Amino acid sequence: MKRVVVLIAPLVAALVVLPYGSAGAATVASDTFERADGPLGVADSGARWETFGQQCGGCSPNFFVESGRARIDPASRVPTVGHAVIDTGLTSNYQVEADITLSPTYQRANSGLSALFRDADDHLFCKIEVTAGNPAGLLTIGDTRNGTVTSLLASRGGIGLANGRTYHLTIVVPADLQSSSVGCTVSDSSGAIASVAYRLSQSAQAAYGSGHQQGLRTKVEFDEDDSGSTWDNFQVISDDLTPPPPTTSPPPPPATGCTVVLGDAAATLAWASTGGTDVIRRDDKWLATPPPNTNTYVDVGPPAGATYVIRSWSGNGRIDTACIAAPPGSTPTTDPVTTTTTDPVTTTTTAPTTSIPSTTTTTTTTTTTTSTTTVPTTSPPPTNPPVAGCRVEAVADGTLISWGDDGGTHVIRRNGSWLATPGSGVDHYLDTAAPAGAQYVLRTWVSGVRTDWTCV
Protein backbone atom coordinates (compact mmCIF):
# COMPACT_ATOMS: atom_id res chain seq x y z
CA MET A 1 0.00 0.00 0.00
CA LYS A 2 1.30 3.47 -0.86
CA ARG A 3 2.32 5.77 1.96
CA VAL A 4 -0.19 8.58 2.48
CA VAL A 5 1.20 11.93 3.59
CA VAL A 6 -1.04 14.65 4.99
CA LEU A 7 -1.35 17.70 2.70
CA ILE A 8 -0.52 21.10 4.12
CA ALA A 9 -2.16 23.73 1.89
CA PRO A 10 -3.76 25.57 4.86
CA LEU A 11 -0.34 26.25 6.41
CA VAL A 12 1.08 27.74 3.22
CA ALA A 13 -1.67 30.34 3.36
CA ALA A 14 0.15 31.98 6.25
CA LEU A 15 3.04 32.81 3.92
CA VAL A 16 1.54 33.32 0.48
CA VAL A 17 -1.80 33.97 -1.13
CA LEU A 18 -3.16 30.53 -1.89
CA PRO A 19 -4.83 30.21 -5.30
CA TYR A 20 -7.63 28.16 -3.79
CA GLY A 21 -10.46 30.47 -2.90
CA SER A 22 -14.15 29.95 -2.53
CA ALA A 23 -14.39 28.09 -5.84
CA GLY A 24 -12.38 25.09 -4.58
CA ALA A 25 -9.72 23.21 -6.47
CA ALA A 26 -9.58 20.43 -9.05
CA THR A 27 -6.83 18.07 -10.19
CA VAL A 28 -5.34 19.13 -13.54
CA ALA A 29 -2.59 16.51 -13.84
CA SER A 30 -1.65 13.55 -11.67
CA ASP A 31 0.50 10.44 -11.61
CA THR A 32 0.75 7.72 -8.97
CA PHE A 33 3.37 5.85 -11.07
CA GLU A 34 1.47 2.62 -10.34
CA ARG A 35 2.32 0.82 -13.58
CA ALA A 36 4.86 -1.58 -15.00
CA ASP A 37 8.53 -0.68 -14.58
CA GLY A 38 9.88 1.25 -17.54
CA PRO A 39 9.94 4.77 -19.03
CA LEU A 40 7.74 7.45 -17.45
CA GLY A 41 5.65 7.58 -20.62
CA VAL A 42 2.13 8.89 -20.01
CA ALA A 43 0.83 10.05 -16.62
CA ASP A 44 -2.38 8.73 -15.06
CA SER A 45 -4.16 11.92 -16.14
CA GLY A 46 -3.20 11.37 -19.80
CA ALA A 47 -0.39 13.92 -20.23
CA ARG A 48 2.98 12.78 -21.59
CA TRP A 49 6.13 13.31 -19.54
CA GLU A 50 9.03 15.18 -21.21
CA THR A 51 12.62 15.22 -19.93
CA PHE A 52 15.28 17.95 -20.01
CA GLY A 53 18.84 18.25 -18.73
CA GLN A 54 21.00 21.11 -17.41
CA GLN A 55 24.74 21.40 -16.87
CA CYS A 56 25.28 18.25 -18.91
CA GLY A 57 26.01 19.49 -22.42
CA GLY A 58 22.42 19.33 -23.68
CA CYS A 59 21.76 15.80 -22.42
CA SER A 60 18.25 14.40 -22.01
CA PRO A 61 18.33 12.36 -18.78
CA ASN A 62 16.22 9.24 -18.50
CA PHE A 63 13.50 9.15 -15.86
CA PHE A 64 11.66 5.87 -15.34
CA VAL A 65 9.15 4.05 -13.13
CA GLU A 66 10.45 1.46 -10.69
CA SER A 67 8.33 -0.32 -8.07
CA GLY A 68 5.56 2.27 -8.27
CA ARG A 69 7.82 5.32 -7.98
CA ALA A 70 9.57 7.68 -10.38
CA ARG A 71 13.34 8.13 -10.37
CA ILE A 72 16.18 9.28 -12.58
CA ASP A 73 18.37 6.66 -14.26
CA PRO A 74 21.50 5.95 -12.18
CA ALA A 75 23.40 5.91 -15.49
CA SER A 76 22.62 9.60 -16.11
CA ARG A 77 25.62 11.78 -16.86
CA VAL A 78 27.29 13.38 -13.87
CA PRO A 79 26.96 16.21 -13.17
CA THR A 80 23.41 16.84 -14.37
CA VAL A 81 20.25 18.59 -13.27
CA GLY A 82 17.38 16.49 -14.57
CA HIS A 83 13.77 17.52 -15.15
CA ALA A 84 10.68 15.49 -16.05
CA VAL A 85 7.73 17.80 -16.75
CA ILE A 86 4.08 17.78 -17.85
CA ASP A 87 2.48 20.55 -19.90
CA THR A 88 -0.78 21.67 -18.24
CA GLY A 89 -1.04 25.06 -19.96
CA LEU A 90 -1.23 26.76 -16.54
CA THR A 91 0.94 29.82 -15.85
CA SER A 92 -0.57 30.90 -12.51
CA ASN A 93 -3.03 29.98 -9.76
CA TYR A 94 -1.98 26.38 -9.16
CA GLN A 95 -0.25 24.03 -6.73
CA VAL A 96 2.34 21.33 -7.54
CA GLU A 97 2.95 18.58 -5.02
CA ALA A 98 4.44 15.12 -4.60
CA ASP A 99 5.78 12.69 -2.02
CA ILE A 100 9.58 12.58 -2.23
CA THR A 101 11.62 9.84 -0.60
CA LEU A 102 15.17 11.11 -0.15
CA SER A 103 17.99 8.82 -1.18
CA PRO A 104 18.96 6.45 1.65
CA THR A 105 22.64 7.04 0.88
CA TYR A 106 24.26 9.08 3.65
CA GLN A 107 24.24 12.82 2.79
CA ARG A 108 23.42 12.17 -0.89
CA ALA A 109 19.92 13.57 -1.51
CA ASN A 110 18.92 16.66 -3.54
CA SER A 111 15.51 16.50 -5.23
CA GLY A 112 12.35 18.55 -5.63
CA LEU A 113 9.75 19.94 -8.03
CA SER A 114 9.67 22.37 -10.95
CA ALA A 115 7.05 25.04 -11.70
CA LEU A 116 6.70 27.86 -14.24
CA PHE A 117 8.92 25.66 -16.41
CA ARG A 118 9.51 27.36 -19.75
CA ASP A 119 12.59 25.34 -20.68
CA ALA A 120 15.78 23.99 -19.11
CA ASP A 121 17.28 27.50 -19.07
CA ASP A 122 14.29 29.34 -17.56
CA HIS A 123 12.15 27.98 -14.74
CA LEU A 124 11.39 27.98 -11.02
CA PHE A 125 12.06 25.10 -8.63
CA CYS A 126 11.74 24.07 -4.98
CA LYS A 127 13.97 21.38 -3.50
CA ILE A 128 14.84 19.55 -0.31
CA GLU A 129 18.28 18.13 0.36
CA VAL A 130 20.44 16.29 2.87
CA THR A 131 24.07 16.63 1.78
CA ALA A 132 27.50 17.17 3.32
CA GLY A 133 26.89 20.91 2.95
CA ASN A 134 23.46 20.66 4.60
CA PRO A 135 23.54 17.56 6.82
CA ALA A 136 20.52 18.64 8.90
CA GLY A 137 18.28 19.28 5.88
CA LEU A 138 17.57 22.25 3.62
CA LEU A 139 14.43 23.64 1.94
CA THR A 140 14.94 26.21 -0.82
CA ILE A 141 13.19 28.09 -3.61
CA GLY A 142 15.51 28.66 -6.57
CA ASP A 143 15.41 29.37 -10.28
CA THR A 144 17.31 29.12 -13.52
CA ARG A 145 17.30 32.33 -15.50
CA ASN A 146 18.91 32.54 -18.92
CA GLY A 147 20.86 29.39 -18.02
CA THR A 148 22.18 30.71 -14.69
CA VAL A 149 21.11 28.79 -11.56
CA THR A 150 20.35 30.62 -8.29
CA SER A 151 19.59 27.99 -5.64
CA LEU A 152 18.90 30.14 -2.58
CA LEU A 153 16.28 32.76 -3.47
CA ALA A 154 14.61 31.75 -0.20
CA SER A 155 15.78 28.99 2.13
CA ARG A 156 15.60 27.37 5.56
CA GLY A 157 18.35 25.09 6.82
CA GLY A 158 18.72 22.79 9.80
CA ILE A 159 15.09 21.62 9.55
CA GLY A 160 15.69 18.01 10.59
CA LEU A 161 15.36 16.14 7.28
CA ALA A 162 16.99 12.72 7.01
CA ASN A 163 18.14 10.35 4.28
CA GLY A 164 15.68 7.57 3.46
CA ARG A 165 12.65 9.44 4.84
CA THR A 166 9.56 10.38 2.82
CA TYR A 167 8.35 14.00 2.76
CA HIS A 168 5.53 15.85 1.03
CA LEU A 169 6.70 18.87 -0.99
CA THR A 170 4.33 21.57 -2.26
CA ILE A 171 4.86 24.61 -4.50
CA VAL A 172 2.10 27.23 -4.62
CA VAL A 173 2.08 29.61 -7.61
CA PRO A 174 -0.34 32.51 -6.93
CA ALA A 175 -2.90 33.95 -9.31
CA ASP A 176 -1.02 37.26 -9.46
CA LEU A 177 2.78 37.05 -9.61
CA GLN A 178 3.01 40.86 -9.46
CA SER A 179 1.54 41.19 -5.97
CA SER A 180 1.87 37.74 -4.34
CA SER A 181 4.74 35.41 -3.48
CA VAL A 182 5.50 31.89 -4.59
CA GLY A 183 5.50 29.53 -1.60
CA CYS A 184 7.05 26.15 -0.85
CA THR A 185 6.37 23.84 2.10
CA VAL A 186 7.79 20.51 3.21
CA SER A 187 5.83 18.26 5.57
CA ASP A 188 5.67 14.72 6.87
CA SER A 189 2.94 12.59 8.42
CA SER A 190 3.00 14.78 11.54
CA GLY A 191 2.36 18.03 9.64
CA ALA A 192 4.36 20.93 8.25
CA ILE A 193 8.11 21.07 8.90
CA ALA A 194 9.15 24.30 7.18
CA SER A 195 7.95 26.85 4.62
CA VAL A 196 9.62 29.55 2.51
CA ALA A 197 8.24 32.24 0.20
CA TYR A 198 9.68 34.47 -2.50
CA ARG A 199 8.30 37.37 -4.56
CA LEU A 200 9.49 37.01 -8.15
CA SER A 201 11.38 39.96 -9.61
CA GLN A 202 10.36 41.58 -12.88
CA SER A 203 13.30 39.92 -14.64
CA ALA A 204 12.27 36.50 -13.29
CA GLN A 205 8.71 37.01 -14.48
CA ALA A 206 9.99 38.03 -17.90
CA ALA A 207 12.25 34.97 -18.09
CA TYR A 208 9.81 32.22 -17.07
CA GLY A 209 6.51 33.78 -15.98
CA SER A 210 4.90 32.34 -19.11
CA GLY A 211 6.18 28.81 -18.39
CA HIS A 212 3.28 26.33 -18.42
CA GLN A 213 4.94 23.04 -17.44
CA GLN A 214 5.40 21.47 -14.00
CA GLY A 215 7.20 18.37 -12.79
CA LEU A 216 10.13 16.63 -11.08
CA ARG A 217 13.68 17.94 -10.55
CA THR A 218 16.90 16.45 -9.17
CA LYS A 219 20.61 17.32 -9.12
CA VAL A 220 22.91 14.34 -9.60
CA GLU A 221 26.54 15.01 -8.67
CA PHE A 222 29.29 13.47 -6.57
CA ASP A 223 28.30 15.50 -3.49
CA GLU A 224 24.56 15.88 -4.28
CA ASP A 225 21.93 13.25 -5.17
CA ASP A 226 23.18 9.81 -6.17
CA SER A 227 19.96 9.18 -8.19
CA GLY A 228 18.51 7.29 -5.22
CA SER A 229 15.68 9.78 -4.48
CA THR A 230 12.19 8.90 -5.76
CA TRP A 231 8.83 10.58 -6.35
CA ASP A 232 5.28 9.37 -5.74
CA ASN A 233 1.71 10.76 -5.83
CA PHE A 234 2.49 13.71 -8.12
CA GLN A 235 -0.32 16.14 -8.91
CA VAL A 236 -1.09 19.66 -10.11
CA ILE A 237 -4.29 21.24 -8.79
CA SER A 238 -5.88 24.57 -9.63
CA ASP A 239 -8.97 26.73 -9.31
CA ASP A 240 -8.69 27.63 -13.00
CA LEU A 241 -10.05 24.31 -14.26
CA THR A 242 -12.92 23.83 -11.80
CA PRO A 243 -16.51 24.14 -13.03
CA PRO A 244 -18.02 27.62 -12.55
CA PRO A 245 -20.63 28.15 -9.81
CA PRO A 246 -24.14 27.17 -10.98
CA THR A 247 -26.56 29.87 -12.13
CA THR A 248 -30.28 30.00 -12.77
CA SER A 249 -29.80 31.15 -16.36
CA PRO A 250 -27.84 29.60 -19.26
CA PRO A 251 -24.14 30.53 -19.60
CA PRO A 252 -23.13 32.84 -22.45
CA PRO A 253 -22.84 31.16 -25.85
CA PRO A 254 -19.39 29.88 -26.86
CA ALA A 255 -17.41 31.83 -29.42
CA THR A 256 -16.31 28.69 -31.28
CA GLY A 257 -17.73 25.37 -32.44
CA CYS A 258 -16.48 21.81 -32.02
CA THR A 259 -17.43 18.53 -33.65
CA VAL A 260 -16.32 14.98 -32.92
CA VAL A 261 -16.38 11.96 -35.23
CA LEU A 262 -16.64 8.75 -33.20
CA GLY A 263 -14.97 5.84 -34.99
CA ASP A 264 -14.49 2.21 -33.99
CA ALA A 265 -11.09 2.80 -32.38
CA ALA A 266 -10.72 6.58 -32.02
CA ALA A 267 -12.55 9.87 -31.70
CA THR A 268 -11.43 12.78 -33.92
CA LEU A 269 -12.11 16.29 -32.63
CA ALA A 270 -11.93 19.57 -34.54
CA TRP A 271 -12.60 23.05 -33.21
CA ALA A 272 -12.03 26.70 -34.07
CA SER A 273 -9.27 27.90 -31.76
CA THR A 274 -9.62 31.30 -30.09
CA GLY A 275 -5.86 31.83 -30.22
CA GLY A 276 -5.62 31.31 -26.48
CA THR A 277 -5.07 28.17 -24.39
CA ASP A 278 -7.28 25.18 -25.23
CA VAL A 279 -7.85 22.15 -22.96
CA ILE A 280 -9.73 19.00 -24.01
CA ARG A 281 -12.04 17.48 -21.41
CA ARG A 282 -13.61 14.03 -21.77
CA ASP A 283 -16.55 12.98 -19.61
CA ASP A 284 -16.06 16.05 -17.36
CA LYS A 285 -12.36 15.31 -16.75
CA TRP A 286 -9.13 16.74 -18.14
CA LEU A 287 -7.83 14.72 -21.10
CA ALA A 288 -5.14 16.75 -22.90
CA THR A 289 -3.65 20.21 -23.42
CA PRO A 290 -2.84 20.50 -27.16
CA PRO A 291 0.11 22.65 -28.30
CA PRO A 292 -0.65 26.29 -29.14
CA ASN A 293 -2.49 26.96 -32.42
CA THR A 294 -3.76 23.38 -32.61
CA ASN A 295 -7.38 22.74 -33.60
CA THR A 296 -7.59 18.96 -34.01
CA TYR A 297 -7.04 16.01 -31.66
CA VAL A 298 -7.39 12.22 -31.96
CA ASP A 299 -8.40 10.32 -28.84
CA VAL A 300 -7.33 6.70 -29.33
CA GLY A 301 -9.46 4.06 -27.60
CA PRO A 302 -12.11 6.31 -25.98
CA PRO A 303 -14.71 4.75 -23.68
CA ALA A 304 -18.15 4.04 -25.11
CA GLY A 305 -20.42 7.07 -25.14
CA ALA A 306 -17.61 9.52 -24.39
CA THR A 307 -18.49 13.22 -24.47
CA TYR A 308 -16.02 16.02 -25.11
CA VAL A 309 -15.71 19.71 -24.24
CA ILE A 310 -13.11 22.22 -25.43
CA ARG A 311 -12.23 24.58 -22.56
CA SER A 312 -10.58 27.75 -23.90
CA TRP A 313 -8.99 30.79 -22.33
CA SER A 314 -8.52 34.05 -24.25
CA GLY A 315 -8.93 37.77 -23.74
CA ASN A 316 -12.67 37.15 -23.27
CA GLY A 317 -12.10 34.80 -20.32
CA ARG A 318 -12.94 31.10 -20.19
CA ILE A 319 -15.34 29.42 -22.63
CA ASP A 320 -16.58 25.81 -22.58
CA THR A 321 -17.64 24.45 -25.98
CA ALA A 322 -19.43 21.10 -26.15
CA CYS A 323 -18.35 18.97 -29.11
CA ILE A 324 -21.27 17.87 -31.28
CA ALA A 325 -21.16 14.29 -32.59
CA ALA A 326 -20.89 13.88 -36.39
CA PRO A 327 -21.67 10.67 -38.34
CA PRO A 328 -18.80 8.13 -38.60
CA GLY A 329 -16.73 8.64 -41.74
CA SER A 330 -17.50 12.35 -41.99
CA THR A 331 -14.95 15.14 -41.64
CA PRO A 332 -15.06 17.13 -38.39
CA THR A 333 -15.98 20.79 -38.87
CA THR A 334 -15.00 23.83 -36.90
CA ASP A 335 -18.10 25.82 -37.82
CA PRO A 336 -19.82 27.19 -34.73
CA VAL A 337 -22.63 24.92 -33.58
CA THR A 338 -25.29 26.58 -31.44
CA THR A 339 -28.73 25.73 -30.18
CA THR A 340 -31.50 28.27 -29.66
CA THR A 341 -34.15 27.44 -27.08
CA THR A 342 -37.26 29.11 -25.70
CA ASP A 343 -38.14 26.22 -23.41
CA PRO A 344 -39.13 27.18 -19.88
CA VAL A 345 -36.33 27.07 -17.36
CA THR A 346 -37.40 25.58 -14.03
CA THR A 347 -35.52 26.62 -10.92
CA THR A 348 -35.87 24.47 -7.81
CA THR A 349 -34.74 25.82 -4.44
CA THR A 350 -34.51 23.49 -1.48
CA ALA A 351 -34.46 25.03 1.99
CA PRO A 352 -31.74 23.55 4.25
CA THR A 353 -32.52 21.93 7.58
CA THR A 354 -30.28 21.12 10.53
CA SER A 355 -30.46 17.32 10.54
CA ILE A 356 -29.84 14.37 8.26
CA PRO A 357 -32.15 12.89 7.06
CA SER A 358 -34.04 16.15 6.67
CA THR A 359 -37.45 17.57 5.88
CA THR A 360 -37.36 19.95 2.93
CA THR A 361 -39.53 22.70 1.57
CA THR A 362 -39.50 23.14 -2.20
CA THR A 363 -40.57 26.19 -4.20
CA THR A 364 -40.77 25.97 -8.02
CA THR A 365 -40.74 29.05 -10.26
CA THR A 366 -41.14 28.84 -14.05
CA THR A 367 -39.90 31.57 -16.38
CA THR A 368 -39.38 31.72 -20.15
CA THR A 369 -35.85 32.45 -21.33
CA THR A 370 -34.48 32.73 -24.87
CA SER A 371 -30.77 31.93 -25.23
CA THR A 372 -28.17 30.65 -27.67
CA THR A 373 -25.73 28.09 -26.25
CA THR A 374 -24.01 24.77 -26.79
CA VAL A 375 -24.26 23.92 -23.09
CA PRO A 376 -27.57 22.58 -21.72
CA THR A 377 -29.39 24.57 -19.06
CA THR A 378 -28.98 23.09 -15.59
CA SER A 379 -30.79 23.93 -12.37
CA PRO A 380 -28.76 24.98 -9.32
CA PRO A 381 -27.90 22.17 -6.91
CA PRO A 382 -29.86 21.79 -3.68
CA THR A 383 -28.40 23.74 -0.78
CA ASN A 384 -28.62 20.75 1.57
CA PRO A 385 -27.18 17.26 1.06
CA PRO A 386 -29.22 14.21 0.14
CA VAL A 387 -30.01 11.62 2.79
CA ALA A 388 -26.55 10.06 2.31
CA GLY A 389 -25.03 13.42 3.26
CA CYS A 390 -21.54 13.95 4.63
CA ARG A 391 -20.68 12.81 8.11
CA VAL A 392 -17.80 13.42 10.52
CA GLU A 393 -16.77 10.82 13.06
CA ALA A 394 -13.93 10.79 15.60
CA VAL A 395 -11.98 7.51 15.30
CA ALA A 396 -8.82 6.19 16.91
CA ASP A 397 -6.50 7.46 14.15
CA GLY A 398 -8.09 10.89 13.59
CA THR A 399 -11.28 12.26 12.05
CA LEU A 400 -13.17 10.16 9.49
CA ILE A 401 -15.15 12.03 6.81
CA SER A 402 -17.58 9.84 4.85
CA TRP A 403 -20.23 10.50 2.19
CA GLY A 404 -22.46 8.82 -0.35
CA ASP A 405 -20.46 8.70 -3.59
CA ASP A 406 -22.55 10.06 -6.48
CA GLY A 407 -19.93 9.47 -9.18
CA GLY A 408 -18.79 13.09 -9.24
CA THR A 409 -15.52 14.82 -8.39
CA HIS A 410 -15.05 15.45 -4.67
CA VAL A 411 -12.92 17.99 -2.80
CA ILE A 412 -12.68 18.09 1.01
CA ARG A 413 -12.36 21.52 2.63
CA ARG A 414 -11.44 22.05 6.28
CA ASN A 415 -12.10 25.34 8.05
CA GLY A 416 -12.67 27.09 4.71
CA SER A 417 -9.50 25.83 2.98
CA TRP A 418 -8.74 23.00 0.58
CA LEU A 419 -7.60 19.81 2.35
CA ALA A 420 -7.67 16.92 -0.13
CA THR A 421 -9.01 15.68 -3.47
CA PRO A 422 -10.00 12.00 -3.00
CA GLY A 423 -9.81 9.70 -5.99
CA SER A 424 -12.72 8.65 -8.18
CA GLY A 425 -15.15 6.26 -6.49
CA VAL A 426 -13.84 7.02 -2.98
CA ASP A 427 -16.46 7.64 -0.28
CA HIS A 428 -14.34 8.41 2.81
CA TYR A 429 -11.21 10.25 3.96
CA LEU A 430 -9.20 10.06 7.19
CA ASP A 431 -7.82 13.37 8.48
CA THR A 432 -4.95 12.37 10.77
CA ALA A 433 -4.01 15.94 11.74
CA ALA A 434 -7.35 17.58 12.43
CA PRO A 435 -7.25 20.66 14.70
CA ALA A 436 -9.72 20.87 17.56
CA GLY A 437 -13.21 21.89 16.46
CA ALA A 438 -12.42 21.49 12.73
CA GLN A 439 -15.33 22.12 10.34
CA TYR A 440 -15.56 20.18 7.07
CA VAL A 441 -17.32 20.76 3.76
CA LEU A 442 -17.53 18.23 0.91
CA ARG A 443 -17.49 20.09 -2.41
CA THR A 444 -18.86 17.93 -5.25
CA TRP A 445 -19.16 18.46 -9.00
CA VAL A 446 -21.60 16.32 -10.99
CA SER A 447 -22.07 17.12 -14.69
CA GLY A 448 -20.51 20.54 -14.18
CA VAL A 449 -22.80 21.48 -11.26
CA ARG A 450 -21.21 22.22 -7.89
CA THR A 451 -22.73 21.38 -4.51
CA ASP A 452 -21.27 22.16 -1.07
CA TRP A 453 -22.26 19.70 1.65
CA THR A 454 -21.64 20.62 5.28
CA CYS A 455 -20.35 17.55 7.10
CA VAL A 456 -22.14 16.87 10.41
Side-chain angles (χ1 to χ4, degrees), residues 388-393 400-404 427-429 442 455:
C390 175
R391 292 176 173 81
V392 178
E393 178 184 1
L400 180 66
I401 302 99
S402 59
W403 58 91
D427 62 2
H428 64 278
Y429 177 82
L442 180 71
C455 303

Side-chain angles (χ1 to χ4, degrees), residues 55 78-80 105-110 127 129-135 163 219-227:
Q55 302 175 350
V78 178
T80 186
T105 306
Y106 181 66
Q107 295 183 354
R108 290 294 304 276
N110 182 336
K127 67 172 184 174
E129 69 171 82
V130 177
T131 59
N134 293 281
N163 290 104
K219 184 177 182 180
V220 179
E221 199 165 352
F222 73 93
D223 58 349
E224 301 287 351
D225 208 289
D226 65 347
S227 76

Side-chain angles (χ1 to χ4, degrees), residues 362-386:
T362 302
T363 302
T364 301
T365 304
T366 301
T367 59
T368 298
T369 302
T370 300
S371 62
T372 301
T373 179
T374 59
V375 182
T377 300
T378 57
S379 300
T383 55
N384 70 316

Side-chain angles (χ1 to χ4, degrees), residues 73-98:
D73 192 336
S76 296
R77 290 182 56 180
V78 178
T80 186
V81 176
H83 301 270
V85 296
I86 283 176
D87 190 345
T88 65
L90 296 176
T91 59
S92 63
N93 197 33
Y94 64 83
Q95 177 169 304
V96 188
E97 57 189 60

Side-chain angles (χ1 to χ4, degrees), residues 135-353:
L138 175 71
L139 169 70
T140 78
I141 292 175
D143 71 6
T144 299
R145 204 177 311 169
N146 299 320
T148 300
V149 179
T150 304
S151 297
L152 303 176
L153 295 175
S155 64
R156 284 192 62 184
I159 56 176
L161 306 184
N163 290 104
R165 293 282 305 276
T166 299
Y167 300 97
H168 192 80
L169 190 64
T170 304
I171 306 176
V172 175
V173 177
D176 185 2
L177 293 174
Q178 297 281 349
S179 59
S180 301
S181 298
V182 173
C184 186
T185 300
V186 60
S187 65
D188 61 13
S189 57
S190 300
I193 297 173
S195 296
V196 291
Y198 180 75
R199 181 77 61 83
L200 298 185
S201 65
Q202 290 295 323
S203 61
Q205 293 178 47
Y208 53 79
S210 61
H212 46 76
Q213 294 173 294
Q214 304 83 27
L216 321 177
R217 178 193 188 273
T218 187
K219 184 177 182 180
V220 179
E221 199 165 352
F222 73 93
D223 58 349
E224 301 287 351
D225 208 289
D226 65 347
S227 76
S229 295
T230 60
W231 295 263
D232 198 4
N233 299 319
F234 172 86
Q235 66 175 352
V236 180
I237 58 178
S238 174
D239 270 350
D240 282 348
L241 297 191
T242 57
T247 62
T248 57
S249 60
T256 63
C258 172
T259 58
V260 55
V261 175
L262 299 172
D264 294 335
T268 303
L269 287 72
W271 65 96
S273 177
T274 61
T277 299
D278 297 326
V279 167
I280 300 171
R281 294 174 65 82
R282 184 183 69 194
D283 297 336
D284 294 326
K285 295 181 180 179
W286 179 91
L287 174 64
T289 302
N293 301 315
T294 300
N295 64 357
T296 60
Y297 180 82
V298 177
D299 182 19
V300 178
T307 59
Y308 297 86
V309 167
I310 302 297
R311 178 162 287 176
S312 304
W313 288 265
S314 65
N316 296 323
R318 192 185 77 190
I319 298 173
D320 280 3
T321 304
C323 297
I324 307 301
S330 62
T331 301
T333 175
T334 60
D335 294 336
V337 179
T338 59
T339 301
T340 301
T341 177
T342 57
D343 295 337
V345 178
T346 301
T347 300
T348 301
T349 303
T350 306
T353 62

